[in-house]
Amino acid sequence: MKFSLIAAVVVLALAQGSFAQDATDLEKLSQYFEDMKTKMTTELTAIMQNQDFANQAETVRTQLEPLATKLKEVATNIEEQLKPLTDNIQAQAQPMVDNFQKQMEAIFQKVTEHAKALAN
């Protein structure tokens, strides 16, 4: 149950951070996870009251498999949506990184020259 709740929180956090999600999709996703949490709590309570843990565990596992599939789909969707953004950020940052690297190489070269001059 803890894993499922953690997974639900992670997916909600990722979904909220996505630029492509609109308010209605987020509300539907929130409601979906709230319903899943309620359903899981109810089922786990029933499991604790029932002595047939093996059958109940198999039932819960079977019911959680669609949730795992859904989570994978959501994660893939979020990754696809964020890929252009991260590529754009990288493209914008790369010239600055290259410039910084050239400046550091120039500074290192000057320090090396001064050290050689002092050594002589």
Side-chain angles (χ1 to χ4, degrees):
M1 181 172 142
K2 289 181 183 178
F3 173 77
S4 298
L5 291 176
I6 291 170
V9 169
V10 168
V11 170
L12 282 174
L14 291 174
Q16 288 177 349
S18 175
F19 293 112
Q21 294 290 330
D22 63 19
T24 57
D25 288 343
L26 190 56
E27 290 172 7
K28 289 177 185 177
L29 190 59
S30 297
Q31 184 62 42
Y32 175 77
F33 285 116
E34 188 63 34
D35 293 344
M36 285 301 293
K37 183 185 97 172
T38 303
K39 183 177 179 181
M40 289 173 57
T41 302
T42 303
E43 290 178 359
L44 287 174
T45 302
I47 289 172
M48 298 306 272
Q49 295 172 354
N50 191 343
Q51 296 299 320
D52 190 9
F53 290 113
N55 289 338
Q56 291 292 336
E58 182 63 28
T59 301
V60 170
R61 186 184 68 79
T62 303
Q63 292 175 351
L64 289 179
E65 284 177 354
L67 176 61
T69 303
K70 182 79 170 176
L71 289 174
K72 286 178 186 178
E73 290 173 7
V74 169
T76 302
N77 187 18
I78 290 170
E79 182 181 359
E80 290 171 358
Q81 291 173 2
L82 292 179
K83 179 92 170 108
L85 177 64
T86 56
D87 290 346
N88 185 24
I89 291 171
Q90 184 176 3
Q92 291 177 1
Q94 191 62 44
M96 291 185 279
V97 171
D98 293 341
N99 186 29
F100 178 73
Q101 183 176 0
K102 288 177 185 175
Q103 290 175 357
M104 293 306 294
E105 288 172 356
I107 291 171
F108 182 72
Q109 183 67 29
K110 287 180 184 178
V111 169
T112 304
E113 290 171 3
H114 287 282
K116 287 180 183 178
L118 291 174
N120 291 333

